[in-house]
Amino acid sequence: MAIATPPTPAAEARVERLEVMWQSRPGVLGWLMTTDHKRIGLLYFWTTLVLFGAGGIEAMLMRTQLIKPNNDLVSPETYDQLFTLHGLTMIFFFIIPMTTGAFGNYLIPLMIGARDMAFPRMNALSYWIFLASAIFLYTSLALGMAPNAGWFDYVPLANKTFTPGHNIDFYALAVIFNSIASTLTAGQFIVTILKSRAPGMSFNRMPLFCFAFLAASFGLLFALPPLSADNIFLFLDRNVGTHFFDPSHGGAALLWQHLFWIFGHPEVYILIVPAFGIATSIIPAFTQRKLVAFPLVAIAELLVVFIGFGVWAHHMFATGMSTTALIFFAGATSMVVIPSTIQVFAWCMSFVLGVARFKTPLLFIAGFIFMFVTGGLTGIMFVAIPFDQQVTDTYFIIAHFHYIIFGAAVFPIFGGMYYWFPKVTGKLYFERPGQISFWLIFAGTNLLFFPMHLVGLLGMPRRVYTYPGNLGWTTYNVIETIGGYLTLVGILVLFGNLVWSYLRAPAAGPDPWHGPTLEWVTSSPPPEYDFAVIPKVSSAYPNWDVEDREEDRRKLASGVLLLDQGHEQVEVTPVDGWLSRTVEMPHESPWPVLLALCLSLVFVMLLLQHFAIAGLMGILSLLTLLGWHSKEPQEA
Amino acid sequence: MALVPLSLLAAGCGKKQNALAPASHQSQDIATLFWWMTGVAAVGLGVVVALLLLAWIRSGRRGAGGDTQGAKPGERVGWYVVLTGGVLVPILLISALFVIGDVFVIRTTEAPAAGSTKRTILVIGHQWWWEVRYPGTSAVTANEIHIPARTPVRLEVRTADVIHSFWVPELNRKIDTLPGSTNEIELYADAVGRYRGDCAEFCGLQHAHMGIWVYADPPAKFAKWLARQSRPAAPPTGAQASAGRAAFLSGACANCHQIRGTSASSGVGPDLTHVADRETLGALTIPNTPSYLHDWIRNSQRFKPGNQMPSFNGLPEREIRDLVAYLEERK
Amino acid sequence: MSGYIASSVERPSKPAAWWGMVILISSEATLFGAFIGTYFYLRFRAPTWPPDGIPEPRVVVPLILVGVLLLSSIPMQLASNAARAGRLAATRLFVVAALVLQAGYFAYEVHDFSDQLKTFDISRDAYSSIYYVLLGADHAHVALGILFNLWLLAKLVRGLTTYRVHATQAIAWYWHAVNLLTLVVILTLLSAAIG
C-alpha cells in the first residue's frame, strides 16, 4: 500500500493527521533531538562511512609502506598505530555500527510493520554514545598517542611497563565506551523484534533479516561484558596498580587472552550474521522466489552465534595450552561450520531454483558467497591444530579473516546500499556504473588478499612494518598493494555512483524490485510514521501477499488499526504475535544527546586520571537520567 | 588462478622461511596436511562456483518475469542439496580432518616431555632479540641456535618481558613465550643446513626485526661449536684490540653486554663473548661485518629504530674502531 | 494460525519495560560471570589462596548480611503485586520496607569495605585485585538499586499510573537479580575460606 496514493478523502484526512503528528522539528535541532529510527539510521550511516574512510586510509598507508622491503614511508611507531586503529576502526566503528546502527535501525521497524523501535530515546542515545566513542578514540590519533599494541592488545605489551603512554588507556576506555552503545542497540533490537511486530507476524513469519539481527543482538549482549571486564582490569592494572595480568603477583597474561577471545570469537559472527540477513533479503528479491529451506536457514543463523560462544581458544592454539584443551576447542570449532555450510547451500540453491536477475545487489551477493566460502574453507583448515599452529600470526590468517570480513560483511553492505538506495532516497541508482563498481572491487579484493595466503606460508609474520628483500616476499606484497589500490578505485566508483544517482537518477517509486518484505509497502522514502495502517501479516513475504495489502487499503479507508490518537504503536505477544496493547511512544527529546555528553566527560576524566571528577560526572549522568524519566508518556 | 603461485611455492623458490619446504617430519606432516586440505577445499569452492554459474546460465535462458514466488519450485531438490552439501558432506570431511589433524599429526607436533631428548636448549625472548642457552654447559649466545642434525632437541622457551613467539616454519610450528611460565617444542632437522625463523607475536616497535637462525650441523661440528661457545673470551691480541677491550669495560657497553671472562656480566643485552662467530647483528637485521658493526655501534637506531641500544654518535671514531677490532676477535 | 484478528482483542503479555530490564540484568549478570570466572581462574593457578599475608574472609557475618539483603526481595515483590492491583499505599509501604533493609545492608558494607582496604590494599596482588573489583561492583549495583527505589518513591508521591506500575515491576525484578547476584558473589568470595 503506497501512502503516496491514499484511496478516499477520509483516508487522506487520516494520513494528514499522522503527517502533522509525527513531524520532526526543522533544522539541526531536529536532528539533535530526533528519536526517529530512520534518522538515527542515517546518522549512523554517514558517521560510519567517515570512519570507513579513516580505516581505509590506514590500510592504504600500510599497503604502501609494504610495497617494497625496508621501506621508510612511515616509522615503526606510526605503523603500529596504523594497524591497531585499522582493526579497531573497521570492527567497532564501521562494520558493527553500519550493519546494526544503520541498516538495522532503518530497516527493522519497517520490516516488522512497526512505527519505531521499542525504546526510541535509547536508540538515539546509542548513536550519540557511538559518535562520542569514535571522537574519543580518534582524539588519541590527533594527539599522536593512538593505541599501538594491536586491536587485541595483548598484555604484558599493553601494560604500563611496556607501553607507558596514554595510548592503551585510550584503547581500554574507548572500547568500554563504545560497547555501551552496542549493548543498548542489542537490547533495543531484541525487545523490538519480540514485542513490536505487526499483529499476525508470528515468530516463524519474521523476515530472515530479523532472525539474523536477533542472533547478532544476543551475541553482542553476551559477548561484550567479558570484553568490558577485560578492559576494566587493564585500566586498573595501568592506573591503580592492580595485578590481574602480572604473574609476579599472582596474575596471568593469558587471562587477558581468554576474556578477550570469549568476546572476540562471537564478535566475528556478530560481524557477519547481520550481513547474512542482508543477503537473505536481497536473494528472494532478485530471484523472485522464497528462500530455499527457510526454517533451516533461520535456525542456522541463531545456531552459528550460539555455538560461536564455545570456540574461543582456537585463537590461542600457539600459547602452550594442554593438548586436551586444544582438542576440545578444535572439536567445538568443527561444529560451528555446519550452520554456515547449510546457509551457503541454501543461498546457492535459491539462486539456481529462482530466476536470478544479476543486478548490482545480487552481484555483490554472488561475490559475497564466493569470498565467504573461500575464507570459510581456510577457516576449516584451522580445525587441524598443527596447521593452525604453523600459520597463525602470519599473513595466511590475515588472508583468512579479510576474505571473511571483507567478503562476508562488506560485500553484503555494499549490495545492501544499492538494494535499499531506492527506498531511502526515492531514486533508482544507475545500474551500469554499479556493475562496474562490483567487478572492480571483486577483482581488487582478490588481488589484494589472495597472495596473502601464499606469503604467509612463505613465512611472513603479521604486524611487521617492513620485511627483508631476500625472502621472496616482495612480489606478493607488490601485487597486494596494487590490489588495494584497485579496490580503492572500485569503492570510489561505488560511492561516486551513489552520489551521482542521488543527484540525477529517475524516481524509483515504492517498490522497484517487487521486494518480499514490508519496507517495499511504504513510499520511497517512507513517511515519518512508516505505516499509516499497521499492516496485516500472514507470511514471511508480506509484500507478495496481494490480498493482505488490499485489506490494508480498506483499513486505511475505514480507520482500523490506524493509531492516530498520538504517537501510537502496538505491542504484541513475543512468540505468536497476538495484539497485546497500544502504547504511546516518546517523540523528540534532548536527553539522549545530553546524557551522551555527560558520559563522555566521565571517560575523559578517567583518561586524565581525575577519578574524583569522573565520579562527579557520573553523578551528573545519573541526574540526566533522572531528567529523562521525569515526563511520563501519558503526560507528554 | 591459484595453481601457478602455489606451484612456484612448492617448486622450492629456495629454503628461506617456507612452511611448504619442510625440513623435519613435523613440518612435513603439516605441509602434507595442507596440500590435502587445499585440494579438498578447491573442490568445495568449485562446487559453489558451479552452482552460481548454473544460476547465471539458467537465468539467461529463462529470462525475467514469471511468478515463481508462491510456488517454491524445486524446493525438494533444494532441501536435498542443502542437507547433503550443507550437513552430511561437511560432517564427514570435517570429522576426517579432525581425526587426522588432531589425533594423529598432533602427536608429532606436541611438546616433548622433559627428559625425552638428550639435549635441551633454553631460548628466552627479549624485546627484540633471542637469548640462547645450553643448560649443562656455560654456552650463551644470541639470535642463533645450533643443533646436531637428525637429532631431536627439546627447546624450552621463555620470555624476559612481553609475549613473543618462536617460529622456524621449516622445522616446526610456532610456540608462544609467556611471562611467568615455560613452553616447550621439539626441534629436529632432517638435513644439515640453516633454517630461518621469526618472532611471530607482535611484541612492540621492532617485532619486524627479531629473526633467528637455526643451524643443523653434523654432530662433530656441533660438538666443536658448543665447546667453543662454552669457553670464556680469549685475551685481546694487539694494541687496538686491547684498547677496544678497555673501552668496552669502562664505557657503556658493559652496562648491557656480557663478555664471559671479563668483568662485563650484564644480561640486559645479548652476550657478546663469541659475537664474531655470528652471521648477523640485531637479530638478523644486518650482516655481521666490521663495517656494519662499526655503523651499528655508532647508530643502531638507524637500522632498528626504537631498539633498546642507544646510539653512540658522540663516541670518537678511534674508540669505535678499537671496539670493532676487539669484538671482531670474539670468535 | 489464523494470525491477525480484525477486532481489538488484546492478549496479556509482559510490557516492553519488563523485557528491557531483563536485557539489562542479562548483560550485567554476564559481566559478573566474567568477574567470577576470573576469580576462579586466578584461584586455581595460585599455590595458596588467599595468598600469604591476607587473612581468610570471615564467613558468618557476610552470610547474615546477605540474608538481610535477600529478605528485601519479599517486600519488593509485594510492592510489585500491590502496584498491579492498584493499591498505592501498600506499594509505598513495601518499597519503604525494602529500602530500610537495603540501605542498612549497604551502610554496613561501605563501612566494612573501607575497613578491609586498610588491612590489605587493592594493589597488593591478584587476589586483592579481583576481591575488591568483584565486591565493589556488587556494592555499586546495590547502590544503583537503592537510587531506583528512591526515584520510585518520589514518583509514587503523585499516585499510580500504568507507567509507574510497569516501573515497579521492572525494579522488583532488578532487585531479585541483584540479590541473587550478591549471594553468588559472596559465596564466591567466601570460598577462599574453604580448602
Side-chain angles (χ1 to χ4, degrees):
Chain A
M1 166 193 65
I3 298 303
T5 55
T8 67
E12 263 182 33
R14 292 185 185 105
V15 166
E16 186 57 38
R17 249 180 91 82
L18 281 172
E19 298 269 342
V20 167
M21 190 166 323
W22 285 79
Q23 220 166 38
S24 285
R25 215 177 279 253
V28 174
L29 211 55
W31 284 93
L32 284 175
M33 291 173 55
T34 189
T35 58
D36 172 19
H37 69 97
K38 300 183 292 299
R39 280 194 162 196
I40 294 171
L42 287 172
L43 286 172
Y44 266 105
F45 183 76
W46 295 319
T47 312
T48 54
L49 279 185
V50 170
L51 289 159
F52 180 53
I57 291 172
E58 287 145 15
M60 296 315 298
L61 282 172
M62 288 193 283
R63 278 294 359 134
T64 312
Q65 160 71 7
L66 292 175
I67 197 171
K68 64 178 191 177
N70 301 311
N71 202 3
D72 57 3
L73 178 71
V74 297
S75 68
E77 282 100 344
T78 305
Y79 192 90
D80 295 347
Q81 294 183 17
L82 285 175
F83 74 72
T84 305
L85 277 176
H86 172 75
L88 283 173
T89 304
M90 289 309 199
I91 292 174
F92 292 104
F93 295 94
F94 169 55
I95 300 211
I96 300 277
M98 173 61 89
T99 53
T100 59
F103 282 85
N105 266 322
Y106 198 100
L107 293 166
I108 288 176
L110 288 170
M111 286 207 191
I112 61 176
R115 288 217 169 120
D116 208 320
M117 292 286 184
F119 306 116
R121 288 177 299 179
M122 193 174 84
N123 203 16
L125 179 67
S126 286
Y127 170 72
W128 295 113
I129 291 179
F130 156 69
L131 178 66
S133 69
I135 294 173
F136 185 90
L137 178 67
Y138 270 84
T139 304
S140 72
L141 182 66
L143 297 173
M145 45 174 73
N148 55 359
W151 87 275
F152 38 88
D153 201 59
Y154 282 176
V155 297
L157 181 63
N159 73 19
K160 199 99 187 178
T161 318
F162 299 104
T163 311
H166 277 315
N167 317 51
I168 306 300
D169 300 305
F170 270 107
Y171 171 93
L173 292 171
V175 167
I176 295 173
F177 199 14
N178 177 264
S179 73
I180 300 176
S182 289
T183 304
L184 293 175
T185 299
Q188 177 86 251
F189 285 4
I190 292 171
V191 180
T192 304
I193 289 173
L194 290 179
K195 296 291 296 175
S196 307
R197 307 195 302 271
M201 187 182 280
S202 54
F203 208 71
N204 62 328
R205 290 178 187 164
M206 254 177 13
L208 286 170
F209 187 91
C210 297
F211 277 98
F213 276 75
L214 192 63
S217 299
F218 275 109
L220 281 167
L221 194 65
F222 292 111
L224 287 171
L227 180 69
S228 298
D230 224 6
N231 280 294
I232 289 171
F233 296 161
L234 181 64
F235 186 80
L236 290 174
D237 266 19
R238 289 179 57 86
N239 292 283
V240 172
T242 51
H243 297 281
F244 289 99
F245 305 123
D246 172 12
S248 69
H249 285 79
L254 275 188
L255 174 63
W256 169 271
Q257 295 191 28
H258 278 296
L259 283 174
F260 184 86
W261 290 114
I262 288 173
F263 150 77
H265 194 82
E267 170 74 354
V268 311
Y269 291 112
I270 292 164
L271 289 176
I272 60 178
V273 164
F276 291 175
I278 297 176
T280 50
S281 305
I282 292 177
I283 294 174
F286 287 89
T287 57
Q288 287 296 294
R289 186 201 187 285
K290 297 183 179 179
L291 202 81
V292 168
F294 178 106
L296 263 189
V297 174
I299 295 172
E301 278 175 350
L302 297 168
L303 264 184
V304 81
V305 173
F306 181 72
I307 302 178
F309 272 91
V311 306
W312 78 88
H314 70 219
H315 298 267
M316 296 163 62
F317 277 165
T319 57
M321 294 191 315
S322 72
T323 307
T324 316
L326 298 182
I327 292 180
F328 170 79
F329 282 103
T333 307
S334 315
M335 292 200 291
V336 85
V337 175
I338 305 300
S340 296
T341 47
I342 288 175
Q343 293 187 67
V344 168
F345 280 96
W347 301 326
C348 288
M349 289 313 289
S350 301
F351 272 71
V352 170
L353 295 171
V355 184
R357 287 178 295 158
F358 283 92
K359 294 210 177 286
T360 307
L362 198 69
L363 276 179
F364 272 103
I365 301 307
F368 141 70
I369 293 174
F370 177 87
M371 304 283 285
F372 175 58
V373 171
T374 306
L377 287 166
T378 54
I380 294 172
M381 292 184 189
F382 299 134
V383 166
I385 296 165
F387 178 72
D388 177 288
Q389 293 167 330
Q390 181 69 292
V391 297
T392 189
D393 267 308
T394 69
Y395 264 78
F396 191 95
I397 195 107
I398 297 187
H400 160 71
F401 66 68
H402 279 95
Y403 262 88
I404 300 272
I405 298 185
F406 206 115
V410 182
F411 269 62
I413 288 173
F414 288 159
M417 283 186 201
Y418 277 109
Y419 178 53
W420 281 295
F421 182 86
K423 175 54 53 182
V424 175
T425 63
K427 306 283 184 77
L428 197 59
Y429 67 83
F430 292 115
E431 181 63 36
R432 202 76 209 289
Q435 306 221 350
I436 292 172
S437 72
F438 166 74
W439 288 108
L440 285 172
I441 294 173
F442 185 74
T445 48
N446 279 286
L447 209 58
L448 167 58
F449 296 122
F450 193 84
M452 291 184 181
H453 294 106
L454 309 173
V455 81
L457 286 163
L458 281 175
M460 185 170 177
R462 63 185 289 192
R463 298 172 158 180
V464 290
Y465 75 97
T466 190
Y467 55 92
N470 59 350
L471 293 180
W473 299 344
T474 310
T475 313
Y476 296 101
N477 275 282
V478 170
I479 297 172
E480 291 162 17
T481 303
I482 294 173
Y485 277 98
L486 187 59
T487 308
L488 175 63
V489 168
I491 292 175
L492 289 173
V493 171
L494 187 152
F495 285 107
N497 183 25
L498 291 181
V499 170
W500 188 247
S501 301
Y502 182 73
L503 295 172
R504 290 278 197 263
D511 188 12
W513 312 123
H514 202 14
T517 39
L518 283 173
E519 75 272 26
W520 303 105
V521 161
T522 68
S523 60
S524 297
E528 288 261 4
Y529 47 87
D530 292 351
F531 299 97
V533 169
I534 304 298
K536 178 180 177 193
V537 173
S538 330
S539 81
Y541 302 90
N543 197 35
W544 290 347
D545 293 332
V546 175
E547 295 93 17
D548 285 349
R549 306 282 66 80
E550 270 305 312
E551 183 155 340
D552 287 345
R553 270 185 273 278
R554 288 196 291 275
K555 281 184 339 212
L556 177 60
S558 61
V560 172
L561 257 199
L562 197 72
L563 305 179
D564 58 354
Q565 302 309 308
H567 294 110
E568 293 183 311
Q569 164 68 353
V570 292
E571 265 186 28
V572 296
T573 62
V575 174
D576 293 324
W578 298 119
L579 179 64
S580 189
R581 62 178 68 85
T582 310
V583 291
E584 176 69 29
M585 305 299 279
H587 198 43
E588 293 169 316
S589 170
W591 295 110
V593 67
L594 288 174
L595 181 55
L597 209 57
C598 293
L599 286 174
S600 308
L601 291 171
V602 172
F603 281 91
V604 170
M605 290 303 143
L606 285 174
L607 179 74
L608 298 172
Q609 296 178 310
H610 297 319
F611 298 128
I613 306 182
L616 278 170
M617 294 298 116
I619 293 175
L620 196 62
S621 305
L622 283 172
L623 289 173
T624 314
L625 211 50
L626 206 64
W628 178 314
H629 289 90
S630 54
K631 245 183 0 176
E632 298 176 20
Q634 69 273 9
E635 299 164 345
Chain B
M1 166 178 77
L3 291 175
V4 173
L6 279 176
S7 58
L8 279 177
L9 264 179
C13 9
K15 283 172 166 286
K16 297 186 170 103
Q17 199 164 287
N18 183 355
L20 297 180
S24 70
H25 52 269
Q26 289 99 343
S27 291
Q28 179 63 65
D29 283 353
I30 294 175
T32 307
L33 191 54
F34 167 74
W35 288 117
W36 276 101
M37 292 192 296
T38 303
V40 173
V43 171
L45 183 61
V47 168
V48 170
V49 170
L51 285 173
L52 291 173
L53 280 175
L54 178 64
W56 183 58
I57 294 168
R58 271 165 66 101
S59 71
R61 278 203 242 122
R62 283 154 65 186
D67 175 26
T68 54
Q69 297 152 17
K72 295 203 284 191
E75 184 73 7
R76 206 145 205 219
V77 173
W79 274 83
Y80 282 142
V81 174
V82 169
L83 288 172
T84 313
V87 180
L88 190 61
V89 171
I91 287 180
L92 291 172
L93 289 177
I94 293 170
S95 306
L97 177 62
F98 179 81
V99 169
I100 295 169
D102 301 334
V103 175
F104 292 107
V105 174
I106 199 173
R107 290 187 194 156
T108 55
T109 59
E110 248 178 338
S116 62
T117 58
K118 286 208 213 100
R119 183 166 298 284
T120 297
I121 300 175
L122 175 60
V123 170
I124 303 168
H126 295 254
Q127 282 178 317
W128 292 280
W129 56 281
W130 299 97
E131 177 182 344
V132 182
R133 292 180 169 270
Y134 287 75
T137 74
S138 52
V140 184
T141 184
N143 306 320
E144 288 185 5
I145 302 176
H146 286 247
I147 59 174
R150 284 178 290 277
T151 311
V153 168
R154 184 165 167 274
L155 207 69
E156 288 185 355
V157 297
R158 297 183 196 153
T159 176
D161 40 47
V162 301
I163 299 179
H164 301 277
S165 192
F166 180 87
W167 185 44
V168 184
E170 288 164 355
L171 297 185
N172 209 338
R173 41 71 148 199
K174 61 180 62 72
I175 182 75
D176 289 352
T177 71
L178 299 176
S181 66
T182 304
N183 279 333
E184 299 89 19
I185 196 171
E186 181 177 304
L187 223 50
Y188 177 93
D190 57 20
V192 167
R194 82 178 172 165
Y195 308 96
R196 196 182 189 284
D198 254 324
C199 173
E201 183 64 63
F202 180 67
C203 53
L205 282 173
Q206 283 300 329
H207 167 64
H209 288 124
M210 194 170 156
I212 189 162
W213 279 120
V214 177
Y215 292 86
D217 297 327
K221 187 170 172 213
F222 168 77
K224 274 222 292 268
W225 176 88
L226 187 60
R228 200 167 62 238
Q229 295 295 318
S230 304
R231 284 199 288 269
T237 64
Q240 200 183 24
S242 296
R245 183 176 185 271
F248 189 96
L249 294 175
S250 62
C253 315
N255 290 340
C256 296
H257 294 285
Q258 168 170 275
I259 293 188
R260 287 170 275 133
T262 73
S263 59
S265 61
S266 166
V268 171
D271 180 299
L272 298 180
T273 313
H274 299 285
V275 61
D277 213 19
R278 304 206 275 260
E279 190 144 342
T280 66
L281 296 171
L284 279 59
T285 303
I286 50 176
N288 186 0
T289 66
S291 135
Y292 268 113
L293 178 57
H294 169 279
D295 293 345
W296 176 265
I297 296 172
R298 181 165 284 296
N299 189 4
S300 66
Q301 292 296 321
R302 178 184 144 214
F303 300 103
K304 200 167 169 177
N307 95 81
Q308 315 266 31
M309 176 165 160
S311 292
F312 292 101
N313 251 320
L315 281 183
E317 178 61 21
R318 200 209 71 245
E319 189 164 332
I320 298 192
R321 286 188 214 256
D322 291 345
L323 283 167
V324 171
Y326 175 64
L327 290 171
E328 284 298 321
E329 287 188 349
R330 302 302 105 224
K331 285 200 197 290
Chain C
M1 197 169 307
S2 64
Y4 164 72
I5 300 174
S7 68
S8 56
V9 167
E10 294 186 349
R11 303 199 184 199
S13 70
K14 294 271 192 301
W18 182 89
W19 281 97
M21 183 54 77
V22 168
I23 300 283
L24 173 69
I25 291 168
S26 305
S27 182
E28 296 303 287
T30 312
L31 182 68
F32 275 91
F35 289 156
I36 291 169
T38 299
Y39 182 91
F40 286 110
Y41 183 83
L42 291 171
R43 177 184 188 161
F44 289 121
R45 296 170 59 98
T48 54
W49 190 267
D52 293 327
I54 299 182
E56 276 188 2
R58 297 168 306 164
V59 175
V60 178
V61 171
L63 282 176
I64 293 175
L65 284 166
V66 166
V68 167
L69 189 66
L70 282 170
L71 275 179
S72 74
S73 267
I74 301 175
M76 283 312 299
Q77 186 55 38
L78 290 173
S80 174
N81 296 349
R84 285 175 63 199
R87 291 156 35 219
L88 176 61
T91 309
R92 283 192 197 133
L93 189 65
F94 287 128
V95 175
V96 168
L99 252 181
V100 167
L101 291 168
Q102 292 152 356
Y105 164 89
F106 185 70
Y108 187 97
E109 289 288 358
V110 167
H111 166 78
D112 198 53
F113 197 83
S114 52
D115 260 356
Q116 286 204 292
L117 277 171
K118 293 182 198 125
T119 321
F120 63 105
D121 185 65
I122 191 177
S123 60
R124 189 196 171 104
D125 56 19
Y127 175 89
S128 64
S129 304
I130 187 60
Y131 180 92
Y132 286 113
V133 165
L134 188 49
L135 193 56
D138 188 75
H139 292 338
H141 282 74
V142 170
L144 191 63
I146 291 174
L147 290 176
F148 281 163
N149 273 2
L150 290 170
W151 172 84
L152 186 59
L153 274 180
K155 281 284 183 180
L156 289 175
V157 163
R158 282 177 288 144
L160 276 174
T161 62
T162 313
Y163 178 88
R164 291 167 203 167
V165 170
H166 290 170
T168 312
Q169 283 180 274
I171 292 174
W173 269 92
Y174 178 83
W175 272 110
H176 297 326
V178 166
N179 291 347
L180 183 59
L181 195 64
T182 304
L183 179 64
V184 173
V185 167
I186 296 299
L187 288 177
T188 300
L189 294 176
L190 292 189
S191 72
I194 323 166

